[in-house]
Amino acid sequence: MTHRTALPAKLPAKRPSVALIVGLFAAVAGLFSPPALAQRWQLDYRVHVGGVAVLDARAELTLTQGRYSVQVNAATDGFLGRLFPWETQSLSVGTVGPDGVVPIRHTQSGVLRGSPRTVTLDYGPDGRVRTQVSPPPEEEDRDPVSENLTRQSRDPLSGVLEMLLAGFHGEGCQRTVPIYDGRRRYDMIFTDRGMTTVGASRHSVFSGAARQCRVSHKPIAGYERTPRQPFWQRGGGREERPPVDLWIAPVEGAGPPLPVRLETDSGFGGVVVHLIAARKTDQTAERPAEPAPGRIR
């Protein structure tokens, strides 16, 4: 697929962090209690930057009684994909209990500018996180995150799922979640903005009433000592990353709320993420089947 709209003259020095974009969309489907019959939701999204479609993402969420599996695949698309090939796959598995989400394992792998990057996080029963990351922090001019900061943290997918499950039980879209992605430790701060209307768009399968949540990013540790200009920022330090606005709503009758739109800003113009397809399948497995990885086309 080739887009005729003019592309930015300069590509971002760093890849856009899809942990915040597609991670939010993957996890938000958890806004309902895990049913006795397992359900798998497949959600397709298209990311536009400055009016240009640059990224396709697919999120698959499987829920059973007390267990979850969330997978996100994303890749640059079209002409930009040929100029700036990048792809990533993330998978989180864990349990859901009375006290919320308990991650078991998170993996992420991808290729950036021809170099592979991987993260594996294994969670112990005492809240400790065992980390395997390549390339290591010292090769990226960043300090490792201390163990006391990672204890009881969540990976990006599990953290958002925890917040949204809590919201389903009446706590609203108002929560601070400690996130550790294997390299950086930060807080995701969610603020409820109330009900609004998402207008009809030829890019999206949804229009109508939706709840708006604003997500802010608070850096804690593990950032580059000499930060490069990130994709998100127009200038200034890393603390100035603009907030993300997320809209959630049912897309299938009385079905669960799903992410239907996301907006934020970047140095290359506005970022808008549209829901372009949502499909649900039922399965009878007692635990989530792990979706097979694959690039989105």
Side-chain angles (χ1 to χ4, degrees):
M1 176 172 56
T2 300
H3 301 283
R4 300 180 184 278
T5 310
L7 292 170
K10 181 180 179 182
L11 294 175
K14 298 177 67 176
R15 65 174 174 85
S17 175
V18 297
L20 190 57
I21 291 183
V22 294
L24 285 167
F25 286 115
V28 71
L31 272 167
F32 59 104
S33 299
L37 179 66
Q39 293 186 357
R40 176 181 291 175
W41 284 88
Q42 181 175 288
L43 310 171
D44 289 344
Y45 297 92
R46 183 153 294 153
V47 181
H48 291 75
V49 179
V52 181
V54 299
L55 183 75
D56 282 350
R58 172 169 293 171
E60 293 190 4
L61 168 71
T62 304
L63 289 172
T64 63
Q65 193 67 31
R67 292 187 67 90
Y68 69 90
S69 171
V70 182
Q71 177 164 309
V72 174
N73 295 344
T76 48
D77 187 33
F79 184 58
L80 181 60
R82 292 190 290 273
L83 290 176
F84 185 66
W86 169 81
E87 59 182 300
T88 187
Q89 300 86 36
S90 300
L91 174 66
S92 296
V93 296
T95 62
V96 181
D99 296 327
V101 165
V102 181
I104 296 174
R105 169 170 271 219
H106 170 78
T107 61
Q108 187 272 333
S109 63
V111 177
L112 176 65
R113 293 191 292 269
S115 300
R117 298 169 64 83
T118 62
V119 171
T120 300
L121 304 177
D122 289 297
Y123 296 83
D126 58 355
R128 293 186 180 183
V129 184
R130 183 165 62 89
T131 305
Q132 300 177 62
V133 59
S134 178
E138 56 268 21
E139 291 185 12
E140 296 190 310
D141 189 37
R142 67 174 82 225
D143 294 320
V145 179
S146 62
E147 181 181 313
N148 66 305
L149 289 176
T150 65
R151 189 185 295 267
Q152 303 299 336
S153 64
R154 300 291 185 258
D155 66 83
L157 303 184
S158 299
V160 178
L161 177 60
E162 179 182 79
M163 185 281 301
L164 291 164
L165 285 171
F168 176 74
H169 294 296
E171 298 180 25
C173 181
Q174 194 83 23
R175 194 176 181 90
T176 297
V177 183
I179 302 295
Y180 174 56
D181 64 8
R183 294 183 173 89
R184 299 165 301 171
R185 167 69 175 84
Y186 56 93
D187 285 344
M188 294 175 70
I189 304 169
F190 297 83
T191 306
D192 197 311
R193 307 283 288 182
M195 296 298 294
T196 60
T197 299
V198 174
S201 168
R202 62 185 177 88
H203 300 295
S204 176
V205 298
F206 177 86
S207 62
R211 179 167 296 278
Q212 181 179 354
C213 298
R214 175 157 291 183
V215 189
S216 300
H217 167 272
K218 180 182 179 181
I220 304 294
Y223 290 81
E224 292 178 327
R225 299 183 184 97
T226 306
R228 293 171 287 178
Q229 179 71 17
F231 170 82
W232 300 107
Q233 296 171 212
R234 294 187 182 277
R238 63 179 184 248
E239 293 83 0
E240 297 179 13
R241 177 180 295 194
V244 173
D245 285 313
L246 169 70
W247 286 263
I248 57 176
V251 297
E252 186 182 285
L258 297 173
V260 295
R261 185 179 178 90
L262 181 148
E263 292 183 5
T264 189
D265 198 7
S266 78
F268 298 93
V271 178
V272 182
V273 182
H274 298 282
L275 175 67
I276 61 175
R279 293 169 292 279
K280 183 189 75 169
T281 58
D282 293 328
Q283 58 186 50
T284 57
E286 293 183 358
R287 56 189 297 172
E290 295 186 1
R295 179 168 176 167
I296 303 303
R297 297 289 184 184

